Amino acid sequence: MPVYNGSRFVGKAVESILKQTYPRWELLIADAGSTDDTWKILKRYKKLAPRKIRLFRLHKNGGAFGVANYLFQF
């Protein structure tokens, strides 16, 4: 999931995924250089589900497709 300055919505998005009933999933989230509290929020969710959530922090915003392409290597 690519995210950029999504502090208003990222929590609801992650919570929705955490509520899934299918047990075998992993959420990859890449913060594309956000300047708001997005990274802080993501770290809190990582602590709640450390085996389910993997975080990546990019220091440059390459756009949604660029970030998605980055995540495909994992």
Side-chain angles (χ1 to χ4, degrees), residues 27-61:
L27 176 60
L28 307 177
I29 307 173
D31 178 4
S34 294
T35 57
D36 62 0
D37 288 334
T38 298
W39 186 248
K40 185 187 299 186
I41 294 166
L42 291 174
K43 289 193 302 185
R44 277 189 260 145
Y45 282 104
K46 171 72 175 169
K47 285 182 182 179
L48 289 175
R51 294 182 182 198
K52 295 288 189 180
I53 297 174
R54 290 177 62 189
L55 297 179
F56 303 89
R57 190 172 197 184
L58 308 175
H59 296 285
K60 183 179 177 185
N61 184 349

Side-chain angles (χ1 to χ4, degrees), residues 16-35:
S16 174
I17 294 168
L18 288 173
K19 291 178 184 177
Q20 299 299 311
T21 58
Y22 182 74
R24 297 186 64 195
W25 59 268
E26 181 178 40
L27 176 60
L28 307 177
I29 307 173
D31 178 4
S34 294
T35 57

